[in-house]
Amino acid sequence: MVVRRRWLGFFFYCSSALSFAAPQAAFHPNVIVITLDTTRADRMGFLGSARGLTPNLDAMAQQGVVFTRAYAHVPLTTASHTTIFTGTYPQFNYVNDFGIPLSTKLPYLPDILHKRGYHTGAFVGSLILDPLDGTAPGFDRGFDVYDAGFHLRRHGMDRYKSVERRAGEVVDHALGWLSQVPSGPFLLWVHFYDAHDPYDPPSPYKERYVSQPYDGEIAYADACLGKLLDALKKHGLYDETLIAVMADHGESLGAHGENTHGIFLYDETLRVPLLIKLPANRWAGKRVESRARLVDVAPTILASAGFSVPPEMQGVPLMTAEKVGRASAKTSPGSEDRPAYAETDYPHRAFGWSALRALRSGKYLYIQAPERELYNQSADPEAARNLAGHTKAVADTMAAQLDDFRQKTSQTLIALAKPDPEQMKKLQALGYVGTATGTEKDEKKLVGIDPKTKIEVSNLLHDAMFDVEDARYQEAVPLLERVLKEQPEMPVANMQYGMAEARLRNYDKAIAPLQKAVKLQPDNGMGHYELGLALFETGDWKSAAPEFEAAVARAPKWADAHFSLGAVYARIDRVPDAMTELDTTLSLTPDHYRANLLRGRILSLQGNPLGGLNNLEKAVQVQPESQEAHLFLADAYGQLGREADAQRELAAARSAKPPAQN
């Protein structure tokens, strides 16, 4: 009854706003933003697809405004979502890569609406948008609730209970929040990660789309979106809610040689679905054929909800509250064709290649690269014929327009922070290359190898990193060897190769590539950490210690690095230092199994079993199947004269697993 009553409260709120005929400027609608990760525009029925994947979105499109040519500005999740919610370009907000904190100086839609009395909730589908334990620090600003809570996946752990969750679970969490939120306008953000690789839709979509699992992910996400929309309609929230649906970027699926996304700036990864349903379904069925941009989304939502747009936002409303109230041919959205800028620094940061910049203006797509590109999108929508060499004047004009646009939309007021090694480790769990981010000048990014000539290296590395993440080390090794044959000086490839060999217990093979990775990127704390692990396993503890010290220095809140340093200190007779590191580990992660186990064991061996008892009991609690934990606890109980407890633990040890060897 409580849940039902609160849903009815929503209904009465919306109904009363209509019944009393409040002036448009005084009525601020509920706002729902739905972002579909890695979703191509050409899979949408409302954009012409005949695949039948999106019946719920197609039905919603009949009640909203469809922007048929909408473009993202960065083919990466965190950076694109920053543009969506701040209304600013990546060259302005500097969140052009993973793990860079969202500055409080930036305008931010959730924060703006929260300060205007909105209840705010975010429900995201992946570690990549986790502000606390992932790679999107600062994204929780302005949210009453930010539902994330992801963590790194351990060997054998379900992917959907660690680094991501399926759309159905995201929707369930969102509806639970809606049923409890107090009366008043709300902002709800729902993020579906399903279409991101690896493509693994649940049943029955897995079986139905066995040969096209990417399509299966989109069909599943659409069904989950339908569940959300049905709940809104059932409880009287749908009609008077502004709902904006868009993808953050698309997916190449082999186009131009790229398997996934992040490297290139063609339409496969930048043209995205964009659909906005206005309150009272105004302009239902309107289709806007002129170009639209994700940078315009936040200004559009604010203007359509009756709020002023902050001057710091660089996007321009696609429609406004005034125009919504006067739906005529002259005031309807889509009266201008806006140039769309895009960029990716990922090729440079991840591989040392040239970054890319692009501008879509008029009928042309221009890409700034070592071998520049120009395409007539009217005649060549697949960007198959590069005209840059034949129409130099047009290419020069587009290049000048791009440079001018970027210069006018850049600024340097926001400090650029570096992602820490723990964030880089989380990125690699999702198949991305994480690197230390610096304040490198733009002109230095636009030199070097043209990504077009090395795209297969990116594909191989991407596949190899997923193999390492999924513990398929034997499969990863030959892929990484091919990458290193092409680019022997690539830091991340050396590190991944060393990690794979180390997990196969080939520590002698692992050390050399890990040493090379550290030499090439001395500020990469994760490289030091992995090298320390390999050295530790060979028994070279004295050499391992400075590597763990370097990792801790670069990531002071990395619990596993502190534990590893404590473990190596214990091996080289620096026991007081070891206890300090173990205490630090437990202050960061109280349930850290290995830190509790080692701390309790050290105290027991020092003749202080009572001091170590809590740690050993915690270790057994955290991993009740650990033979080692039961044995150490039995020994502590024995020293304390608690024979019955000691015998119980010995019996548990006999039926438990032997100590892990990795």
Side-chain angles (χ1 to χ4, degrees), residues 123-140:
F123 299 85
V124 301
S126 169
L127 180 77
I128 206 162
L129 287 174
D130 190 331
L132 299 180
D133 296 311
T135 65
F139 266 61
D140 53 345

Side-chain angles (χ1 to χ4, degrees), residues 110-152:
D111 190 47
I112 292 168
L113 292 181
H114 188 263
K115 288 176 178 176
R116 284 157 175 77
Y118 275 64
H119 306 292
T120 52
F123 299 85
V124 301
S126 169
L127 180 77
I128 206 162
L129 287 174
D130 190 331
L132 299 180
D133 296 311
T135 65
F139 266 61
D140 53 345
R141 175 161 59 100
F143 281 108
D144 298 320
V145 172
Y146 198 111
D147 186 63
F150 299 94
H151 56 84
L152 282 173

Side-chain angles (χ1 to χ4, degrees), residues 364-367 369 371-376 385-396:
Y364 290 109
L365 162 62
Y366 173 77
I367 299 176
E371 180 192 349
R372 65 182 186 170
E373 302 169 58
L374 179 70
Y375 302 98
N376 181 338
R385 298 182 296 278
N386 184 2
L387 306 176
H390 300 92
T391 54
K392 185 176 182 299
V394 176
D396 289 345

Side-chain angles (χ1 to χ4, degrees), residues 355-661:
L356 300 176
R357 309 280 182 258
L359 185 69
R360 289 168 171 82
S361 182
K363 64 182 180 180
Y364 290 109
L365 162 62
Y366 173 77
I367 299 176
Q368 184 177 4
E371 180 192 349
R372 65 182 186 170
E373 302 169 58
L374 179 70
Y375 302 98
N376 181 338
Q377 291 199 288
S378 298
D380 181 20
E382 295 182 354
R385 298 182 296 278
N386 184 2
L387 306 176
H390 300 92
T391 54
K392 185 176 182 299
V394 176
D396 289 345
T397 299
M398 291 290 291
Q401 290 178 0
L402 187 153
D403 290 342
D404 182 63
F405 182 88
R406 197 174 196 283
Q407 183 178 3
K408 289 179 178 178
T409 52
S410 299
Q411 58 89 51
T412 57
L413 297 177
I414 297 170
L416 186 67
K418 294 182 179 181
D420 64 32
E422 184 74 356
Q423 289 172 335
M424 288 188 276
K425 189 173 183 181
K426 290 165 181 171
L427 282 172
Q428 292 173 6
L430 296 168
Y432 292 104
V433 180
T435 59
T437 303
T439 55
E440 197 169 10
K441 292 185 177 180
D442 196 61
E443 58 266 21
K444 292 186 177 181
K445 302 174 186 176
L446 297 169
V447 296
I449 294 172
D450 194 316
K452 294 190 292 293
T453 68
K454 291 288 186 178
I455 188 60
E456 183 58 26
V457 173
S458 171
N459 294 333
L460 288 170
L461 183 59
H462 180 88
D463 292 346
M465 290 171 66
F466 266 127
D467 284 339
V468 171
E469 171 65 16
D470 290 337
R472 298 189 299 267
Y473 307 118
Q474 294 281 10
E475 292 88 340
V477 166
L479 298 181
L480 291 164
E481 288 174 341
R482 289 171 61 188
V483 172
L484 289 170
K485 185 177 180 180
E486 286 286 327
Q487 285 193 237
E489 302 301 307
M490 186 183 291
V492 69
N494 277 283
M495 186 166 69
Q496 291 285 316
Y497 180 61
M499 289 169 60
E501 292 287 13
R503 304 302 188 267
L504 292 169
R505 307 192 193 288
N506 299 325
Y507 301 112
D508 291 335
K509 288 185 178 180
I511 289 173
L514 289 171
Q515 287 175 329
K516 189 170 187 178
V518 166
K519 182 179 179 181
L520 291 168
Q521 271 191 347
D523 288 335
N524 187 336
M526 189 177 172
H528 288 284
Y529 179 73
E530 291 292 340
L531 177 56
L533 291 178
L535 291 167
F536 185 92
E537 293 294 343
T538 65
D540 190 356
W541 302 320
K542 289 186 177 180
S543 297
E547 301 302 332
F548 291 136
E549 288 168 348
V552 164
R554 288 158 176 80
K557 295 183 180 180
W558 191 358
D560 282 347
H562 282 285
F563 167 76
S564 297
L565 182 56
V568 80
Y569 280 160
R571 293 276 190 169
I572 59 177
D573 297 325
R574 293 176 58 179
V575 177
D577 293 330
M579 294 298 284
T580 298
E581 293 301 321
L582 294 174
D583 288 343
T584 301
T585 304
L586 293 172
S587 71
L588 294 168
T589 310
D591 289 345
H592 197 287
Y593 162 72
R594 292 174 298 166
N596 277 292
L597 186 71
L598 181 56
R599 189 180 189 279
R601 184 58 173 166
I602 288 174
L603 289 171
S604 291
L605 293 174
Q606 289 178 333
N608 183 15
L610 185 61
L613 195 61
N614 285 340
N615 293 120
L616 294 172
E617 288 175 338
K618 173 64 77 172
V620 166
Q621 178 187 340
V622 174
Q623 288 199 17
E625 296 301 313
S626 168
Q627 183 183 84
E628 194 172 34
H630 288 293
L631 287 172
F632 289 172
L633 182 56
D635 181 66
Y637 281 144
Q639 290 186 56
L640 293 168
R642 295 169 57 173
E643 289 302 324
D645 291 329
Q647 289 302 316
R648 184 192 70 239
E649 293 304 318
L650 286 172
R654 284 191 288 271
S655 61
K657 298 177 182 178
Q661 298 299 310

